[in-house]
Amino acid sequence: MSIIDDNNNKWSLFKQDDEINMLGEADKNYQLYYVNYSRNTYEIIANLLMD
């Protein structure tokens, strides 16, 4: 799994407890990129938190 910005740059992710997080920037667009090679189906839940 990775986060990609408008310029196709990958952003760093970090794990905190059972969550995977990133620190983004205001007024930027991001895409969640995930490839599932298994036969299993997964649900991805994403939240946006702003300070």
Side-chain angles (χ1 to χ4, degrees), residues 15-42:
K15 189 167 183 175
Q16 184 176 1
D17 299 322
D18 291 333
E19 298 178 353
I20 298 173
N21 298 295
M22 70 164 273
L23 294 174
E25 297 177 4
D27 300 322
K28 293 263 188 170
N29 295 309
Y30 301 97
Q31 295 179 38
L32 175 64
Y33 182 76
Y34 182 82
V35 178
N36 179 10
Y37 293 105
S38 74
R39 292 182 178 209
N40 299 325
T41 300
Y42 295 96

